[in-house]
Amino acid sequence: LSSVHGQGSGIVLLLIDVDGTLVDTSSARGNGLQAWRAAIEEGAFPPLPGVVDAVSALRTKGMDMMILTGRAQSLEAATRRWLRREIPALAQVPMLMRGDDDWRDVDAVKWDLSAPLGVYHRLWAIDDEPWCDGLPVRLFVAPGGWSDLLSTVN
C-alpha cells in the first residue's frame, strides 16, 4: 500500500492524464483526429519537460498512480508502448480509457470513470483540464502542477 496519505483518512490515488500532462501533443493541434491518432500509434510525441523526473520522484515516495485518459481504448497498446519507452515507471499502472464508440466530452468521460474510485481512495489528479468539478478530487493543473504536486508530497 501507498505511504502517501491525503488530508483526512484514506490512501491517495493519483489519477494522471496523458495528453497535455505527460505528453506534448501540441504539434498535432489543428491537424485533425486521424493525424493525431497516427502520431500516437507512431509514438511521435515527446514527454513534457520534467515529467519523467516528477513521476520517478512520486513513485519513490510510494504514490499509487493510475492513468485516466480521454484516449480511446483502441489506443491502449500504443499508449503503453510509449510509456515503456518514455516513462517506464508508468508502463504497468492501471489505465482507464474511454470506449472506442464514446464520443462524449472528455470531462464527462473522466468524471464517470473516476467517480467510483473515490469510494476506496482519496483522489488527487494531475491534468491539463479541470474536469473534476463536483467530485472530491484534489486537482493539480499541468504542466505547472507537477511542481505543486511534488511539494505537497514532500
Side-chain angles (χ1 to χ4, degrees):
L1 290 178
S2 172
S3 61
V4 179
H5 293 267
Q7 297 172 355
S9 62
I11 301 298
V12 170
L13 174 63
L14 178 63
L15 304 174
I16 304 173
D17 176 48
V18 176
D19 299 306
T21 303
L22 294 174
V23 181
D24 181 359
T25 56
S26 61
S27 64
R29 285 195 189 114
N31 294 337
L33 181 60
Q34 293 307 320
W36 177 78
R37 287 182 63 95
I40 290 171
E41 292 286 352
E42 295 166 10
F45 299 125
L48 284 164
V51 166
V52 175
D53 292 338
V55 168
S56 293
L58 292 168
R59 293 297 276 182
T60 298
K61 296 211 174 280
M63 176 69 78
D64 288 334
M65 300 178 195
M66 179 178 284
I67 301 290
L68 175 65
T69 179
R71 288 183 177 187
Q73 288 175 336
S74 59
L75 293 171
E76 182 175 1
T79 302
R80 290 212 181 267
R81 272 193 311 275
W82 184 90
L83 288 168
R84 277 192 301 275
R85 188 181 74 235
E86 301 290 348
I87 312 175
L90 292 178
Q92 298 300 319
V93 301
M95 188 179 302
L96 297 175
M97 306 178 87
R98 75 168 65 228
D100 288 331
D101 57 354
D102 186 347
W103 296 103
R104 293 177 297 153
D105 180 79
V106 70
D107 293 359
V109 171
K110 288 181 178 181
W111 208 98
D112 287 350
L113 289 172
S114 66
L117 300 173
V119 172
Y120 305 103
H121 302 279
R122 295 197 47 83
L123 299 179
W124 290 4
I126 183 148
D127 203 311
D128 62 325
E129 298 289 334
W131 57 268
C132 52
D133 287 344
L135 283 176
V137 175
R138 180 167 184 184
L139 179 66
F140 297 87
V141 179
W146 285 105
S147 60
D148 296 339
L149 176 56
L150 286 170
S151 65
T152 300
V153 172
N154 286 331

